[in-house]
Amino acid sequence: MSSGHAQLHLQLQALPPAPFRYGSVLFPSHPIQSKRIGNSSFSLRLYHNGSKSSVFGRKSGVIRSSVAEEANRAAEPKSKQQVTVKRPYPFHEIELKWQRYWEENQTFRTPDEIDTSKPKYYVLDMFPYPSGAGLHVGHPLGYTATDILARLKRMQGYNVLHPMGWDAFGLPAEQYAIETGTHPKITTLKNIDRFRSQLKSLGFSYDWDREISTTEPEYYRWTQWIFLQLLKRGLAYQAEVPVNWCPALGTVLANEEVVDGVSERGGHPVIRKPMKQWMLKITAYADRLLEDLDDLDWPESIKEMQRNWIGRSEGAEMDFPILSSDGQERDTKITIYTTRPDTIFGATYLVVAPEHPLLSSLVSTAQRKSVEEYTDLASRKSDLERTELQKEKTGVFSGCYAKNPVSGEAIPIWVADYVLGSYGTGAIMAVPAHDTRDLEFASKFDIPIRWVVMPDDKNLSGSGKAYSGEGTVVNSSNSTVGLDINGLSSKEAASKIIEWADKTANGKKKVNYKLRDWLFARQRYWGEPIPVVFLDDNGETVPLLETELPLTLPELDDFSPTGTGEPPLSKSVSWVKTKDSISGKPARRETSTMPQWAGSCWYYLRFMDPKNSKEVVAKTKEMYWSPVDVYVGGAEHAVLHLLYSRFWHKVLYDIGIVSTKEPFKCVINQGIILGEVQYIAYKDSDGNFISADSGTSVEYHQELIPEEKVMKSGDSFVMKDNPNICLIARSHKMSKSRGNVVNPDDVVSEYGADSLRLYEMFMGPLRDSKTWNTSGIEGVHRFLGRTWRLIVGSPLSDGTFKDGTLVTDEDPTLEQLRSLHKCIAKVTEEIEVTRFNTGISAMMEFLNVAYKWKKHPRLIIEAFVLLLSPYAPHMAEELWFRLGHSKSLAYEPFPKADPAFLKESTIVLPVQINGKTRGTIQVEETCSEENAFQLASRDEKLSKYLNGRVIKKRIFVPGKILNVILDLQNVKATVR
């Protein structure tokens, strides 16, 4: 167990006091405290070392996270005798048995040579980074979903490709190496081994023969090869760009890796500084990346996020001449980009980014110190921080003015960090009347505000707020330059301004993108080496020959940052110093490495042909397997990973490596599994509880309330012993720092892998976020136990189960066939559309019905076992074996619903007594008059009108009505 967690010690009653293992926990022999865990036949003695600890037991406390309270849910053991462990079904035996069987028989291996006349189904998980913490119960959510789909499709006759691998380069392993001296490769391989064993313990049907790791030279050889293709086509280049530099980590960080001016990992200060970096020209593909989104079966929210990230806009570039101190135009101009050229007469100031290349030449002597101080502060902020809409606007006057080209007015040039040097031209014209950010800035610094667009709703112009919509242009003419756009609509005015600017050389029409070229270098050791050298004599960049790949990482003992900005690879002098293989000239290797995104951009292709040493992927295999049919992963990868993969794929399409324009046909984002709910109460300084909905402003502190002391009241949670105290219920994303991580190994040890798989699917819709509740596993665990008992029978006195099953070989009844085929139809449909939770509900309903039958025909039970198998494969395999089959059910035909058994055969028949409707009965469509009357006579509501009464006649219209005519005298007597 990890440090800081107490060890639990357990001893079965009749065993000698010697250390032993239970699951993954080591239990010494020295008892301190005796407690009881589990059901009535499972008695355990607990020991602890005085610290808080995790408790694993059934019914009483079940699995708890690392912040769980001490073992206080179990009672004292009933006796001192040895007690046999009894389980609802022997998952601890059958799961290991079938995992061994699948591995030994390579059950899920997809052969290299397959029958390509069969349909294919390529279902892929976003492969994980193998962290040292291993899996928590949130990880298997998506993996279980893809496994259910893969198992279904195999049984439906598809060739299925369902692989797994590791996105294993990255900063965490390197940081661990710096801290401990352990080589990142050693750490990575150890973590991969742990992840692999955890995934195998959950019964996922991956083709492990296709396993890949981005850190293996035979894999990143092709990552380097793709980089060379980009370089050949001018899509990879070097440029001096402002980057997020973290001195402590010694590397450049992406914007999303910087939070509040510090690194997301470690919380180290981050500054902005210019650095020569490798860039990939993703902007060359901006239009195609945008246009091809329309044809993808992706969540609309993801497609919209990508559209916004690409950020295509149409507008104009306009030139604003810089004025000297005496008001004369200088030779230099500031070019701005605007999507609203119709508002240019309302531009009352310019804003340039702190990193604008012209800034140093603009600043007046009087303002230089203020500007330098401001730019230094801005360099410590990430782009996300600077553009946050809610933040207070800051800025400093440059001491310089520019000329508005249409009005001729001299307007001040300000420096502000809400403008980015990486977007557009790094400068904007500010129109405070028609832009909220500009208005906030102008109001703060007392800059004129001029309305130039009047909305159709005149009330909006007097609201005191910026109006950013379109309307009729006003206050926008200058006879000196021959320009008058007053009275025109915004669109007409914009066109006229662009036409004027083009004719007078003051600007031009321009399409712009928010998308920036991809910063493709990291100052790290643990990444793919970039396959280029720089000649010593002239610095020329020379790509390696393809035959020289892979360029492998040198062995290093010291992975720490150099402190100079030079990457750790620069320490390997013998590796850095080399010769150009063509000219023989002395050269120096590139010492930056590729970002972690690189290896994950194309791994889906390598899975198609993982052992190919001659090419990225064989053409025939790519043409058969492409594109990925279903790609499942977290929404946190909705933009960058998917965008970068699409970019690389389009480049490979252009050079003939792939046959499809897009890599992923359908993308599904699974929701997040949050940690267990915490209940929080407020207390005042005197220790009195305060209801969370009281609205009081007194000072208070928070106190965690145990779940057993909480109850639901309407939409709120309250204290059981004081329902007037409303509590706050919160759950957070699982993380080690919060201590709310639940380890799937513990859940599997206690309930079995099938129960975990079933519970994760039963918690709610796949795409929704859900809150983990270990006690919720009990429900699906009982369902599996009931399934086992229905087919195998109850346990014997010693807790074991007899061989074979209870099924019979007689023909099923019509009722049984209808129940089965209704279940088949529902389960099949729900898996196909990934509504796994309702598929489980359908099987639970079937089981409830099946328990009412006296006999269980083989035909019915075998079909139900096949239905269950994608969800609970271990149990299904064992039941299939007990039903007399010698081979795995993995490729058995999945049951198909027969429409003949899906048609509802019962109807609701109204029953009248003397012409007045008194109730209804459920009857078969072909029900006879006599059967209908007998059913009515047994009906609780109708029987009081019929029993013992004289019936004159019955009127029966099949399928429509039953009218019973009674002797009126007898009816009156009865009423009286």
Side-chain angles (χ1 to χ4, degrees), residues 642-820:
L642 290 176
L643 198 63
Y644 294 158
S645 293
R646 294 179 63 220
F647 165 46
W648 276 34
H649 191 88
K650 290 182 184 302
V651 174
L652 294 174
Y653 176 78
D654 290 347
I655 64 178
I657 301 299
V658 298
S659 59
T660 62
K661 292 183 178 180
E662 289 286 337
F664 314 117
K665 182 178 179 182
C666 172
V667 169
I668 297 174
N669 291 136
Q670 82 269 17
I672 297 171
I673 292 184
L674 304 171
E676 294 196 74
V677 175
Q678 293 180 330
Y679 301 97
I680 301 168
Y682 293 150
K683 275 187 171 182
D684 62 21
S685 56
D686 295 326
N688 301 312
F689 285 111
I690 306 170
S691 184
D693 60 358
S694 64
T696 180
S697 59
V698 300
E699 290 188 9
Y700 59 85
H701 69 273
Q702 298 180 356
E703 181 175 310
L704 286 176
I705 304 298
E707 184 178 0
E708 58 269 21
K709 295 184 178 182
V710 177
M711 68 178 185
K712 189 84 183 288
S713 176
D715 293 332
S716 304
F717 292 93
V718 299
M719 296 181 67
K720 281 183 179 178
D721 56 359
N722 190 350
N724 293 322
I725 301 299
C726 184
L727 306 175
I728 298 294
R730 291 178 183 158
S731 55
H732 301 276
K733 187 175 179 179
M734 288 189 184
S735 67
K736 285 174 63 179
S737 61
R738 289 191 180 276
N740 63 349
V741 170
V742 177
N743 189 330
D745 297 353
D746 301 325
V747 182
V748 170
S749 175
E750 178 66 19
Y751 294 99
D754 285 342
S755 291
L756 175 59
R757 290 169 59 110
L758 215 60
Y759 176 58
E760 298 227 346
M761 294 297 96
F762 194 56
M763 290 173 74
L766 176 64
R767 294 162 178 81
D768 292 357
S769 291
K770 299 161 278 279
T771 300
W772 178 265
N773 184 353
T774 303
S775 61
I777 303 177
E778 293 284 355
V780 294
H781 192 58
R782 283 194 299 271
F783 163 69
L784 290 175
R786 293 184 73 219
T787 299
W788 182 266
R789 291 193 301 276
L790 178 80
I791 300 172
V792 175
S794 298
L796 302 175
S797 59
D798 63 356
T800 62
F801 294 85
K802 68 176 184 178
D803 295 337
T805 66
L806 302 178
V807 301
T808 64
D809 289 319
E810 60 190 51
D811 292 335
T813 66
L814 183 61
E815 177 196 353
Q816 288 173 330
L817 287 169
R818 283 174 177 157
S819 295
L820 171 66

Side-chain angles (χ1 to χ4, degrees), residues 80-315:
K80 303 292 183 180
Q81 305 302 312
Q82 181 174 353
V83 180
T84 302
V85 174
K86 291 185 179 179
R87 296 180 173 89
Y89 69 99
F91 62 82
H92 60 298
E93 297 172 0
I94 65 177
E95 290 185 351
L96 290 174
K97 168 186 172 181
W98 287 102
Q99 286 163 19
R100 283 195 298 268
Y101 175 92
W102 295 329
E103 187 160 356
E104 290 169 2
N105 291 274
Q106 294 188 305
T107 304
F108 307 115
R109 180 177 178 271
T110 303
D112 287 333
E113 302 301 325
I114 55 176
D115 179 2
T116 56
S117 66
K118 293 171 64 176
K120 66 92 177 178
Y121 193 74
Y122 186 179
V123 56
L124 182 65
D125 299 292
M126 292 184 184
F127 67 168
Y129 174 76
S131 68
L135 297 176
H136 63 62
V137 291
H139 292 113
L141 179 65
Y143 303 155
T144 304
T146 58
D147 194 60
I148 291 171
L149 290 169
R151 289 176 178 274
L152 171 70
K153 292 301 180 180
R154 285 193 198 96
M155 298 172 78
Q156 290 179 333
Y158 286 74
N159 288 325
V160 172
L161 186 58
H162 187 40
M164 176 51 74
W166 318 104
D167 188 13
F169 275 129
L171 189 56
E174 185 159 342
Q175 282 301 110
Y176 186 76
I178 294 169
E179 294 163 7
T180 66
T182 307
H183 196 284
K185 185 171 185 177
I186 295 172
T187 305
T188 299
L189 290 175
K190 179 182 176 182
N191 293 347
I192 286 174
D193 286 344
R194 173 156 169 70
F195 263 69
R196 188 192 303 110
S197 80
Q198 287 185 297
L199 292 176
K200 285 186 176 182
S201 76
L202 295 172
F204 296 134
S205 60
Y206 294 123
D207 178 358
W208 287 106
D209 269 11
R210 293 174 183 263
E211 179 183 3
I212 59 176
S213 169
T214 56
T215 63
E216 294 303 322
E218 55 266 31
Y219 178 85
Y220 69 68
R221 165 191 179 182
W222 297 106
T223 308
Q224 293 171 335
W225 181 88
I226 295 172
F227 176 85
L228 292 180
Q229 310 316 304
L230 293 163
L231 187 61
K232 286 178 187 177
R233 287 156 183 81
L235 296 171
Y237 64 95
Q238 284 189 296
E240 189 93 359
V241 293
V243 297
N244 300 313
W245 172 253
C246 179
L249 296 179
T251 189
V252 171
L253 301 178
N255 285 334
E256 59 276 7
E257 295 174 312
V258 181
V259 179
D260 297 329
V262 298
S263 62
E264 185 179 37
R265 179 175 175 82
H268 304 295
V270 175
I271 62 172
R272 299 280 287 180
K273 79 176 208 175
M275 188 177 289
K276 195 171 186 180
Q277 297 280 11
W278 281 99
M279 309 290 291
L280 296 189
K281 202 170 185 179
I282 190 173
T283 51
Y285 282 75
D287 281 326
R288 288 168 61 183
L289 290 168
L290 193 63
E291 292 161 4
D292 291 345
L293 282 170
D294 295 337
D295 298 327
L296 296 177
D297 180 17
W298 291 16
E300 193 56 41
S301 59
I302 294 181
K303 293 200 282 188
E304 193 59 27
M305 288 170 71
Q306 293 219 348
R307 290 187 188 104
N308 291 337
W309 192 268
I310 296 168
R312 185 182 190 276
S313 61
E314 294 185 1

Side-chain angles (χ1 to χ4, degrees), residues 241-496:
V241 293
V243 297
N244 300 313
W245 172 253
C246 179
L249 296 179
T251 189
V252 171
L253 301 178
N255 285 334
E256 59 276 7
E257 295 174 312
V258 181
V259 179
D260 297 329
V262 298
S263 62
E264 185 179 37
R265 179 175 175 82
H268 304 295
V270 175
I271 62 172
R272 299 280 287 180
K273 79 176 208 175
M275 188 177 289
K276 195 171 186 180
Q277 297 280 11
W278 281 99
M279 309 290 291
L280 296 189
K281 202 170 185 179
I282 190 173
T283 51
Y285 282 75
D287 281 326
R288 288 168 61 183
L289 290 168
L290 193 63
E291 292 161 4
D292 291 345
L293 282 170
D294 295 337
D295 298 327
L296 296 177
D297 180 17
W298 291 16
E300 193 56 41
S301 59
I302 294 181
K303 293 200 282 188
E304 193 59 27
M305 288 170 71
Q306 293 219 348
R307 290 187 188 104
N308 291 337
W309 192 268
I310 296 168
R312 185 182 190 276
S313 61
E314 294 185 1
E317 278 188 351
M318 302 292 295
D319 293 330
F320 284 67
I322 298 172
L323 301 177
S324 61
S325 58
D326 59 1
Q328 299 300 309
E329 290 186 22
R330 289 161 53 179
D331 293 337
T332 313
K333 296 180 179 180
I334 291 181
T335 302
I336 62 93
Y337 171 78
T338 178
T339 58
R340 293 295 302 274
D342 57 309
T343 65
I344 190 168
F345 277 94
T348 56
Y349 64 103
L350 296 183
V351 179
V352 297
E355 58 273 15
H356 195 285
L358 293 179
L359 180 57
S360 61
S361 65
L362 298 178
V363 180
S364 67
T365 303
Q367 289 295 107
R368 186 165 299 279
K369 183 179 179 181
S370 298
V371 170
E372 288 175 350
E373 289 175 351
Y374 184 81
T375 56
D376 180 62
L377 286 173
S379 73
R380 303 177 189 278
K381 300 179 183 179
S382 71
D383 288 355
L384 295 176
E385 291 176 273
R386 287 171 55 177
T387 54
E388 171 59 49
L389 293 177
Q390 307 305 321
K391 84 176 190 76
E392 182 183 358
K393 301 299 176 289
T394 62
V396 60
F397 178 44
S398 69
C400 185
Y401 290 79
K403 176 183 175 183
N404 185 320
V406 295
S407 68
E409 179 183 8
I411 59 176
I413 302 172
W414 284 75
V415 185
D417 62 6
Y418 74 89
V419 175
L420 301 177
S422 59
Y423 178 64
T425 64
I428 65 163
M429 68 175 198
V431 185
H434 304 293
D435 183 275
T436 301
R437 290 187 309 171
D438 295 346
L439 178 61
E440 291 173 359
F441 191 92
S443 300
K444 180 174 181 177
F445 295 105
D446 198 23
I447 301 171
I449 300 167
R450 182 177 301 122
W451 277 75
V452 291
V453 176
M454 293 300 294
D456 294 334
D457 182 354
K458 298 299 187 289
N459 292 327
L460 294 175
S461 62
S463 65
K465 298 179 181 179
Y467 174 68
S468 59
E470 297 184 349
T472 303
V473 176
V474 297
N475 303 323
S476 299
S477 66
N478 182 0
S479 58
T480 304
V481 297
L483 190 58
D484 184 355
I485 56 174
N486 284 331
L488 299 180
S489 68
S490 291
K491 287 184 178 178
E492 292 171 328
S495 296
K496 192 168 181 178

